[in-house]
């Protein structure tokens, strides 16, 4: 691993200059910037994608900050409600919070990056007032359509102050897969403290950097994800802004995540203490934990490209499932194009008919798999393998097979489809 001086760069959380290079994925297009037929005729803008480790607060982060209004523009295509696991995870999250906190008509539940209302609608159904905040116009409009009053804007210190002045402080603030996305990390967290009632609680979900490193989930690195959190780096970030990480619930979603319970009063429990101790013992707080990551990613590339090339050389046809942002990183870093993958399928109607960034692989509805019957389906959305394989059991039972690329390439067929049906 290079000890990159990275002179111009400072840590997004603590401001330290002591950033060490972990992995350089080169200059890549924006992962969710899917292209129309017209747009593939001209080159897309690309941006450096390099991962660093902060020796002072342990935050893993990328160096480049692409302007948020470029990343989350009017074409931002991600809609949570197309993914059953995400909807179910949100339903369970709300159920658990409501089992601990008595909320009613005088309460307020806020979600930062509420997307299409997939989570707050659980409060709307119970008559509990809500407020959604999301900068992407498409998802924000979808949230309003399911009864979630939504501000289509970025959240931060200023908006929090404005809402507090209007008397709209929150009993509970949710933020799922948003903390890693914000350019002003400290301002966002300070905004949470300002918006929370003194006895309020924030429930925040983030992917866990330990899973990223240990399971080689390198494709979850893209320009939307500015930060990659450990419990150690999160604890520093919250404390600096007057909040306390009091409880953690590890989750399997998105390749391994943490559900964080954060309050204005310190009440740290054993779940936090034990993870902090484990991270120190494992070395997540020092460079050595990250030193061989680049080598392991390069090895994974060789194994995946080798498998796909062998399958193609044997005369097999291969499609992909999931026009996921992570899929863009994987295809572009591994240089996997239409010579190996004929097309991608996705349930999200906003993605169908478009093309993947960089490799310009076309995206079709998922029904194409049964119509066209490719020999293999490469799971770009490997983090949803169970849900997808269950859903595509007819394809599997007719001989179709799946290639799961992460943490190492493996082929699964009907036997897994049948098994996963009963999971
Ligand atoms: O942080 C983020 C994560 C949570 O979601 C966002 N910045 C962007 C996005 O990342 P992603 O696109 O890599 O997420 P997913 O959830 O892995 O994307 C899955 C893709 O697969 C979506 O386009 C939906 C699609 N899908 C499908 O077509 N049928 C997914 C499932 C489960 C399905 O059954």
């Amino acid at each position: 691993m290079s000890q990159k001086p990275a002179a111009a760069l400072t840590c997004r959380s603590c401001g330290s200059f002591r950033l060490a290079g972990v992995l350089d994925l080169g200059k890549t297009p924006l992962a969710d910037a899917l292209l129309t037929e017209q747009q593939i005729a001209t080159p897309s803008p690309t941006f450096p994608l390099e991962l660093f480790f902060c020796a002072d607060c342990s935050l893993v982060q990328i160096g480049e900050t692409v302007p948020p209004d470029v990343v989350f523009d009017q074409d931002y295509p991600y809609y949570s409600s197309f993914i059953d696991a995400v909807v179910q995870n949100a339903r369970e999250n709300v159920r658990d919070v409501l089992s601990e906190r008595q909320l009613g008509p005088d309460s307020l539940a806020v979600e930062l990056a509420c997307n299409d209302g997939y989570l707050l609608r659980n409060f709307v159904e119970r008559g509990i007032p809500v407020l959604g905040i999301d900068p992407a116009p498409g998802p924000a409009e979808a949230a309003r359509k399911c009864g979630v009053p939504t501000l289509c804007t970025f959240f931060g210190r200023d908006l929090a102050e404005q809402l507090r002045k209007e008397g709209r402080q929150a009993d509970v603030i949710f933020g799922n897969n948003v903390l890693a996305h914000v350019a002003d990390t400290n301002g966002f967290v300070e905004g949470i403290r300002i918006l929370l009632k003194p006895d309020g609680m924030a429930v925040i979900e983030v992917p866990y950097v330990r899973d990223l490193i240990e399971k080689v989930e390198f494709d979850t690195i893209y320009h939307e994800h500015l930060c990659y959190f450990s419990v150690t780096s999160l604890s520093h970030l919250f404390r600096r802004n007057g909040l306390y990480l009091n409880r953690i619930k590890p989750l399997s979603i998105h390749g391994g995540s943490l559900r964080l319970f954060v309050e204005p009063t310190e009440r740290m429990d054993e779940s936090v203490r034990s993870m902090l101790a484990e991270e120190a013992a494992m070395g997540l707080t020092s460079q050595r934990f990250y030193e061989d990551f680049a080598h392991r990613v390069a090895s994974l590339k060789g194994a995946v490209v080798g498998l796909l090339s062998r399958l193609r050389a044997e005369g097999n046809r291969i499609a992909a499932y999931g026009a996921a942002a992570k899929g863009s990183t994987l295809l572009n870093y591994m240089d996997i194009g239409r010579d190996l993958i004929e097309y991608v399928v996705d349930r999200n109607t906003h993605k169908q008919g478009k093309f993947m960034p960089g490799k310009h692989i076309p995206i079709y509805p998922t029904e194409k798999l049964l119509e066209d019957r490719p020999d293999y389906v490469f799971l770009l959305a490997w983090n949803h393998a169970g849900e997808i394989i269950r859903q595509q059991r007819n394809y599997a039972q007719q001989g179709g097979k799946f290639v799961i690329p992460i943490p190492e390439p493996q082929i699964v067929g009907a036997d897994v489809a049948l098994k996963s049906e009963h999971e």
Side-chain angles (χ1 to χ4, degrees), residues 181 222 224-225 321 325-326 346-347 351 383-384 391:
H181 297 58
Y222 40 90
E224 289 171 44
H225 292 169
Y321 194 121
K326 63 172 70 67
D346 197 293
R347 263 198 330 190
K351 298 187 176 183
N383 50 313
H384 301 303
Q391 176 201 110

Side-chain angles (χ1 to χ4, degrees), residues 51 59-60 62 209 212 220-222 225-230:
L51 201 66
L59 180 66
V60 177
I62 60 172
V209 73
L212 189 163
T220 60
I221 300 167
Y222 40 90
H225 292 169
L226 300 170
C227 298
Y228 302 79
F229 290 110
S230 59

